[in-house]
Amino acid sequence: MKLTRRQLQKYIKESIFKKGNVKLGSISPNYNFEAEEYKKLATAAFNHYQSKNLMPVILEVSKKLSINEDILLAILIDAYVRMYPRALSDVLIYFNLDQSVGISQVKPGTVRSLTRYLPPEYRALDIENMSNRELGLLIQNDDKLAIYFAGAVIRNTFNNWDSAFEWIEN
């Protein structure tokens, strides 16, 4: 049975959301935590990155893409707090939707064009031609790739910042 996007949203709202199986933050990205709760969740996220030995990867990505490691880490922590590890979108990727996935909560449609920022071992994967599902599952299962894509989004934003606002007079 195929569901329309509207039917799927209705199903999520009526079943998963009401039963409390999913964190509110994973449905509403505008959800704001109280300061103490956020601090606890951010600490847990930081500990997760340390326990999975991802801090050296964050440092590697920061150096290779010339971005501040604290900015990258802060974005990854916030993504973890708000969306991961119980993100609904990690399940929706199985339906080939362009949903945020993995520890960096990047969308396949967003990062597909950013492969130029990846190391050679990833550039050989033909990411540009992968379906949302294929790329989403790859990102979910490869934390290093997810972190590289988060860094790529930051680097790309920095690279395009001035041209994005050239219409504004100083």
Side-chain angles (χ1 to χ4, degrees):
M1 176 175 113
K2 289 187 176 183
L3 293 175
T4 65
R5 188 177 295 260
R6 181 170 279 142
Q7 289 170 320
L8 182 60
Q9 288 172 341
K10 182 180 178 208
Y11 172 76
I12 291 167
K13 190 174 184 180
E14 292 177 355
S15 61
I16 299 171
F17 184 68
K18 286 188 178 179
K19 292 179 184 170
N21 293 334
V22 179
K23 235 169 68 172
L24 180 60
S26 64
I27 290 178
S28 173
N30 296 323
Y31 183 76
N32 292 315
F33 296 96
E34 293 296 324
E36 285 305 310
E37 181 183 7
Y38 189 88
K39 186 176 178 180
K40 279 191 245 180
L41 294 168
T43 300
F46 180 79
N47 291 339
H48 171 80
Y49 288 117
Q50 282 191 314
S51 71
K52 289 190 76 177
N53 199 30
L54 294 172
M55 298 307 282
V57 175
I58 293 167
L59 186 59
E60 171 191 325
V61 171
S62 298
K63 284 184 178 180
K64 286 193 177 178
L65 298 180
S66 300
I67 56 177
N68 183 301
E69 68 216 49
D70 292 332
I71 291 173
L72 178 58
L73 180 59
I75 288 171
L76 291 169
I77 284 174
D78 191 66
Y80 186 97
V81 166
R82 295 180 188 281
M83 300 295 288
Y84 200 76
R86 296 171 36 202
L88 178 60
S89 55
D90 280 2
V91 174
L92 294 178
I93 201 68
Y94 284 94
F95 296 100
N96 205 35
L97 301 173
D98 190 24
Q99 297 292 316
S100 301
V101 294
I103 61 170
S104 60
Q105 288 299 293
V106 293
K107 288 185 175 185
T110 301
V111 299
R112 194 174 275 114
S113 65
L114 301 176
T115 56
R116 65 188 173 279
Y117 298 109
L118 299 178
E121 67 264 24
Y122 291 115
R123 280 187 256 143
L125 295 176
D126 195 28
I127 288 172
E128 293 91 352
N129 295 311
M130 289 183 178
S131 69
N132 289 336
R133 182 175 191 249
E134 291 170 320
L135 182 52
L137 293 174
L138 181 64
I139 294 166
Q140 280 180 10
N141 293 307
D142 189 335
D143 290 341
K144 182 177 178 179
L145 177 62
I147 293 168
Y148 257 100
F149 272 136
V153 170
I154 296 166
R155 176 76 268 147
N156 195 58
T157 300
F158 288 162
N159 289 350
N160 294 302
W161 188 260
D162 290 334
S163 64
F165 297 102
E166 63 188 15
W167 53 272
I168 298 175
E169 290 184 33
N170 291 328

